[in-house]
Amino acid sequence: MKLNPVINTTSSRLDRETELSPAAEAQEDAIIAITIGYCNKSLDNSRFFSKLKDGVITPSLMQYTFLQYYFWRDQLHKWFALCIIKAQSCSDPDQKRAIMSLSDHIFTDLQDGHDDMYIEFLHDIGLSDAEIKASNRSLATISYERSFFDDFGYETENFYETLAALSGRELCVSLRNVRILQYYFDARNQKQPTWLSLHAELEIEHFRDAIRPVITRYYDDSVKIDSLMKAVERGIDRHIQYFEDILHEYESLPVGLHNI
């Protein structure tokens, strides 16, 4: 599937040219391959994304889903902030890199108007400003917003696990968006929304930004890498579960409320 051309430059100020050692680079390649495989398997096993692939996701369900997702992304900075809070040293090279990448992600999102892109995306799927303004968080969204804090808490000992879980979610978003573009918008010969196209690409960079400090820290510690990969999977699982919960919510609504 060919993505629409999107913004080629961002406000990111990160230096992504730093080379890893051969051993660390090999570990990074392995982690990326394993994570992509896990994401795709999880998406394949998801009822929501199976319905998407089968072409039975209705415009109304799309509206309900991403109107709810609007509330989560409006607070995405809190998840990044939790990771920053857990970092115990801004002079430690790995933690410094992680803090910079987390901060840069927030800065880029806000500076480049990704919030406005998302509103445009909601317009693309048929929602008006009045409908967006009149909407409220559902229980599934409230649960998902809290989940990162519930899962990883406020103690600082699990900084790298928390960072790994966040990175897994970032890569899952990229693969998720590719499927939405292919099976919903392309299948209907509709214009690919800029927000979806952009984040089908940017989130791969964000995954690398978040996972690299983890890799440089522990690339030669197989026991720790195994533990961190479980955290990656945990972040992916919870993201996919959010869409399952949204689908269940939607299906539980009275039929008359399915049309937003």
Side-chain angles (χ1 to χ4, degrees):
M1 183 197 67
K2 183 177 180 181
L3 299 178
N4 279 346
V6 294
I7 296 173
N8 294 318
T9 59
T10 74
S11 298
S12 176
R13 293 174 289 185
L14 290 180
D15 177 9
R16 295 190 172 98
E17 302 303 318
T18 303
E19 294 185 1
L20 298 175
S21 68
E25 185 173 357
Q27 185 66 266
E28 181 183 58
D29 289 342
I31 286 174
I32 290 172
I34 292 169
T35 304
I36 288 174
Y38 190 86
C39 284
N40 281 325
K41 182 179 179 180
S42 299
L43 288 164
D44 287 341
N45 291 335
S46 156
R47 198 162 67 90
F48 181 96
F49 289 97
S50 293
K51 288 171 74 70
L52 176 72
K53 187 174 183 178
D54 292 340
V56 295
I57 294 288
T58 64
S60 178
L61 175 53
M62 277 290 287
Q63 291 174 352
Y64 184 83
T65 300
F66 286 99
L67 190 52
Q68 283 304 312
Y69 194 79
Y70 164 74
F71 290 108
W72 178 84
R73 82 158 312 281
D74 197 44
Q75 295 193 19
L76 64 85
H77 60 283
K78 292 185 178 181
W79 286 24
F80 289 81
L82 178 64
C83 291
I84 293 172
I85 289 171
K86 288 174 178 288
Q88 295 179 303
S89 169
C90 64
S91 58
D92 175 274
D94 296 322
Q95 295 189 36
K96 179 179 180 179
R97 180 183 178 88
I99 294 167
M100 290 174 63
S101 69
L102 293 162
S103 302
D104 182 77
H105 186 144
I106 297 170
F107 176 83
T108 300
D109 190 276
L110 299 177
Q111 178 69 20
D112 293 352
H114 292 196
D115 51 341
D116 293 331
M117 289 181 201
Y118 195 84
I119 294 297
E120 181 182 345
F121 163 55
L122 293 181
H123 292 162
D124 288 338
I125 60 176
L127 289 163
S128 67
D129 288 332
E131 288 168 327
I132 297 168
K133 187 176 181 179
S135 61
N136 294 290
R137 281 174 174 79
S138 72
L139 292 178
T141 298
I142 292 170
S143 176
Y144 187 52
E145 287 175 348
R146 293 175 178 172
S147 66
F148 200 58
F149 299 88
D150 293 339
D151 288 346
F152 295 98
Y154 290 94
E155 69 276 7
T156 57
E157 290 78 9
N158 60 355
F159 169 67
Y160 289 100
E161 284 78 7
T162 309
L163 193 59
L166 186 68
S167 74
R169 183 201 168 279
E170 297 296 287
L171 186 56
C172 189
V173 166
S174 175
L175 299 176
R176 177 205 77 190
N177 283 2
V178 168
R179 293 193 182 208
I180 294 170
L181 289 166
Q182 179 179 358
Y183 295 123
Y184 189 84
F185 290 94
D186 290 353
R188 290 166 170 78
N189 293 315
Q190 294 179 6
K191 176 179 73 75
Q192 292 188 349
T194 300
W195 182 84
L196 276 175
S197 297
L198 180 64
H199 289 82
E201 298 178 358
L202 275 184
E203 300 301 352
I204 297 176
E205 286 187 350
H206 292 160
F207 170 74
R208 289 181 180 273
D209 292 341
I211 203 68
R212 275 204 164 188
V214 177
I215 293 169
T216 56
R217 190 78 164 195
Y218 294 111
Y219 71 90
D220 58 351
D221 185 339
S222 60
V223 174
K224 187 65 172 180
I225 288 292
D226 183 63
S227 172
L228 290 164
M229 286 306 299
K230 286 182 172 58
V232 169
E233 292 174 0
R234 193 173 179 180
I236 293 167
D237 290 343
R238 189 60 186 88
H239 184 67
I240 298 296
Q241 185 60 48
Y242 177 46
F243 283 84
E244 302 300 278
D245 293 344
I246 286 289
L247 177 59
H248 177 72
E249 272 187 346
Y250 177 82
E251 292 175 338
S252 300
L253 291 173
V255 175
L257 296 180
H258 280 182
N259 295 318
I260 297 177

